[in-house]
Amino acid sequence: ATSTAITIDASQNVGIGTSAPEAELHIAKSTSGGRGGTLVIENSNSSILNNEVQITFLTDSGASLAGISNARIKTINTDAASGAAALTFTTWSGSAEGERMRIDGAGRVAMPYQPAFRARGTSAQTETSGWKQLLFTTDVQTRTSAYNSATSRFTAPISGWYQFNTSWTALSNADNDGTVIISVNDSVDNVIASVSMPNTSQAFSGHSVSGCAYITANDYVTVQRYSSVTTTTRSSIQYGSYFSGYLIG
């Protein structure tokens, strides 16, 4: 007896294992407690570094497989001897196509465009009493351009949950307040985290605070301090102040 292996209906939908395909390609297999329909994409060459297979997504007529695509999922050989492979995700930003996330053979996830930064406080900066922004303009390490060292601001490129951390060390002073906050849009009321540590009559006065919050795209984050007196940041480069943060998701 003969049976139908592949069905192509009037809408050009292809069915494998089904005579009523519901999409352009519909693979069906009835298996109780096991693997059903399976799609296999193979590079049949021997194990060579950078062998790859991919699925390409084209969401408009201007995109192409050979040129610029809107998105791709690739599996790439990263070690010819063992056959280890990475799974990568590529998208088109509107101006460039690039890899946005990679899962290596050990399951580690790298996101090269995930915003992150770390900056060291400006040495020996002096601020008068009241609320003042602390500056972090040196030794800047950043992934993406979300942190502006000229303004010591991190501007959220997308809405999401972010983690921020800061530490600030001042020279001995008579401050009886010692509040440091991580602030949204320079507001002393819209605060991610805060700490109050008045002067301890020692050579230095240290403050450290961290917190996470949902930040809306284009809102910015700074570090502010409130003091009852003029303060000066410790001048020792490695022991002064730091400000860092990153997108959680």
Side-chain angles (χ1 to χ4, degrees):
T2 61
S3 61
T4 301
I6 298 176
T7 297
I8 304 177
D9 67 14
S11 298
Q12 298 183 345
N13 292 335
V14 177
I16 301 174
T18 177
S19 59
E22 299 181 38
E24 287 77 8
L25 177 61
H26 184 163
I27 302 173
K29 178 183 178 183
S30 178
T31 304
S32 177
R35 188 177 71 237
T38 303
L39 179 65
V40 176
I41 304 175
E42 178 184 1
N43 183 334
S44 59
N45 194 68
S46 60
S47 181
I48 300 294
L49 185 66
N50 293 324
N51 276 2
E52 72 170 60
V53 295
Q54 68 172 272
I55 301 173
T56 301
F57 301 87
L58 311 177
T59 62
D60 58 75
S61 60
S64 68
L65 170 64
I68 295 172
S69 70
N70 301 100
R72 305 176 197 259
I73 300 174
K74 301 179 183 180
T75 299
I76 303 172
N77 185 305
T78 56
D79 186 272
S82 66
L87 183 66
T88 69
F89 297 82
T90 298
T91 61
W92 167 252
S93 68
S95 59
E97 182 180 350
E99 183 180 313
R100 312 306 180 193
M101 185 171 74
R102 173 178 291 238
I103 305 173
D104 72 7
R108 294 168 295 204
V109 180
M111 292 174 282
Y113 289 89
Q114 195 84 337
F117 74 97
R118 174 184 177 273
R120 181 178 289 159
T122 305
S123 177
Q125 62 181 296
T126 298
E127 301 291 352
T128 56
S129 61
W131 283 110
K132 300 295 179 181
Q133 182 187 353
L134 297 175
L135 301 179
F136 301 83
T137 59
T138 61
D139 193 26
V140 176
Q141 299 170 326
T142 183
R143 187 170 61 190
T144 78
S145 58
Y147 183 75
N148 185 328
S149 61
T151 60
S152 297
R153 288 181 178 180
F154 175 86
T155 302
I158 62 170
S159 298
W161 283 91
Y162 291 80
Q163 172 71 35
F164 296 98
N165 319 282
T166 190
S167 61
W168 175 60
T169 302
L171 299 180
S172 180
N173 55 73
D175 182 18
N176 58 20
D177 190 291
T179 296
V180 174
I181 65 173
I182 301 174
S183 164
V184 179
N185 297 334
D186 288 338
S187 170
V188 297
D189 298 312
N190 191 355
V191 175
I192 296 171
S194 68
V195 65
S196 294
M197 182 74 178
N199 179 51
T200 58
S201 300
Q202 302 300 316
F204 304 105
S205 176
H207 309 69
S208 181
V209 63
S210 64
C212 66
Y214 186 88
I215 307 296
T216 303
N218 298 317
D219 281 352
Y220 63 88
V221 177
T222 58
V223 178
Q224 309 281 334
R225 78 96 176 93
Y226 182 86
S227 176
S228 60
V229 298
T230 296
T231 59
T232 301
T233 301
R234 185 175 183 178
S235 59
S236 299
I237 293 176
Q238 67 272 37
Y239 302 128
S241 308
Y242 294 90
F243 182 29
S244 63
Y246 59 90
L247 171 64
I248 299 172

mmCIF file of all heavy atoms in Angstrom, residues 4 11 67 96 177 234:
data_model
loop_
_atom_site.group_PDB
_atom_site.id
_atom_site.type_symbol
_atom_site.label_atom_id
_atom_site.label_comp_id
_atom_site.label_asym_id
_atom_site.label_seq_id
_atom_site.Cartn_x
_atom_site.Cartn_y
_atom_site.Cartn_z
ATOM 1 N N THR A 4 0.926 8.946 1.513
ATOM 2 C CA THR A 4 1.447 10.270 1.160
ATOM 3 C C THR A 4 2.547 10.666 2.133
ATOM 4 O O THR A 4 2.331 10.672 3.345
ATOM 5 C CB THR A 4 0.329 11.323 1.182
ATOM 6 O OG1 THR A 4 -0.697 10.929 0.258
ATOM 7 C CG2 THR A 4 0.866 12.697 0.812
ATOM 8 N N SER A 11 -2.187 26.565 -0.938
ATOM 9 C CA SER A 11 -1.532 27.783 -0.451
ATOM 10 C C SER A 11 -0.012 27.637 -0.440
ATOM 11 O O SER A 11 0.689 28.501 0.079
ATOM 12 C CB SER A 11 -2.020 28.107 0.961
ATOM 13 O OG SER A 11 -3.411 28.347 0.962
ATOM 14 N N GLY A 67 23.177 39.222 1.791
ATOM 15 C CA GLY A 67 23.473 40.591 2.204
ATOM 16 C C GLY A 67 23.170 40.798 3.673
ATOM 17 O O GLY A 67 23.654 40.071 4.536
ATOM 18 N N ALA A 96 23.386 48.521 11.458
ATOM 19 C CA ALA A 96 24.435 47.498 11.386
ATOM 20 C C ALA A 96 23.877 46.155 11.830
ATOM 21 O O ALA A 96 23.012 46.084 12.709
ATOM 22 C CB ALA A 96 25.624 47.883 12.260
ATOM 23 N N ASP A 177 25.981 64.797 58.442
ATOM 24 C CA ASP A 177 24.935 64.112 57.692
ATOM 25 C C ASP A 177 25.509 62.938 56.899
ATOM 26 O O ASP A 177 25.251 61.783 57.186
ATOM 27 C CB ASP A 177 24.220 65.096 56.758
ATOM 28 C CG ASP A 177 22.969 64.493 56.134
ATOM 29 O OD1 ASP A 177 23.120 63.582 55.289
ATOM 30 O OD2 ASP A 177 21.851 64.922 56.481
ATOM 31 N N ARG A 234 38.897 61.928 48.546
ATOM 32 C CA ARG A 234 40.253 61.444 48.778
ATOM 33 C C ARG A 234 41.041 61.432 47.476
ATOM 34 O O ARG A 234 40.531 61.018 46.428
ATOM 35 C CB ARG A 234 40.213 60.034 49.371
ATOM 36 C CG ARG A 234 41.584 59.507 49.766
ATOM 37 C CD ARG A 234 41.476 58.165 50.458
ATOM 38 N NE ARG A 234 42.789 57.698 50.892
ATOM 39 C CZ ARG A 234 43.001 56.566 51.554
ATOM 40 N NH1 ARG A 234 41.978 55.785 51.867
ATOM 41 N NH2 ARG A 234 44.224 56.209 51.924
#
